[in-house]
Amino acid sequence: MSASVPTEDPIPGPPEPRPEEFLRTLYHLHGNALLQFAARRLEGDWHRAEDVLQEVAIRAWRHASELDPTSDSVRPWLFTALRNLVIDNHRARQARPPETGDPELAHLPVSDGVDHMLTSQVLIEALGDLRPAQREVLLHVHYLGRSVNQTAKVLGVPPGTVKSRTYYAARAMREALHNRGMYAGGNDRAPG
């Protein structure tokens, strides 16, 4: 006869909150106060304040079994975590060497790809103005990066012909680009 071991049912505790509910409640009840506090501590840098608030929310969520976001007693924990993160971030910034660079470069516009696309379109149209032999030699020499001798061998013409076609093709291309408002030196407007 085998002895039966009594099994005990675990004592049910409070249900563990779902992450979405926990975070939603946390942000709803405490988010504004924490964000304003963080922004003050970060000298008005709202972007960094939002980042710190997100990190506080993640840390609180990791302790969700211990914290009740609906209780006011959670606020000291949240503000302490936020304060510590701000201090840690400040110390980390102080430990890094200061960034150097030209301050004027910080205000230069960043290309969004539209300029490149439009320039490519203008180049394709300008290539259409060239004679087929000129397009072909520019393709081999400039686009494929072949030497004069390699291009001559592929096209079956003497190297002198490749040099001549390249010269006249570049001149015709410059003229075609000029007619489309593109000027030497990469400028897109007439010197004035």
Side-chain angles (χ1 to χ4, degrees), residues 68-164:
D68 177 11
T70 61
S71 169
D72 285 338
S73 64
V74 76
R75 276 204 177 200
W77 189 96
L78 294 170
F79 278 93
T80 301
L82 190 139
R83 184 180 146 278
N84 290 342
L85 279 169
V86 169
I87 290 169
D88 291 347
N89 286 340
H90 177 73
R91 287 179 181 159
R93 286 179 182 264
Q94 296 300 319
R96 277 187 254 146
E99 295 179 12
T100 60
D102 190 351
E104 292 178 15
L105 293 178
H107 301 291
L108 290 177
V110 177
S111 174
D112 60 359
V114 173
D115 287 340
H116 178 71
M117 182 195 64
L118 292 174
T119 301
S120 297
Q121 187 62 38
V122 170
L123 285 171
I124 290 168
E125 290 175 7
L127 281 169
D129 288 356
L130 304 181
R131 293 191 334 257
Q134 292 174 330
R135 275 195 305 272
E136 186 177 46
V137 78
L138 285 181
L139 170 74
H140 286 279
V141 173
H142 292 288
Y143 183 72
L144 298 175
R146 293 184 172 145
S147 69
V148 170
N149 288 335
Q150 291 170 330
T151 302
K153 188 173 183 178
V154 168
L155 297 179
V157 296
T161 302
V162 171
K163 289 180 187 178
S164 174

Side-chain angles (χ1 to χ4, degrees), residues 12-41:
E16 191 166 315
R18 291 188 9 219
E20 304 87 30
E21 293 171 9
F22 180 86
L23 292 173
R24 188 178 298 114
T25 303
L26 183 83
Y27 273 98
H28 177 71
L29 297 176
H30 309 288
N32 286 335
L34 289 167
L35 185 60
Q36 290 174 4
F37 180 74
R40 281 193 306 271
R41 298 290 296 218

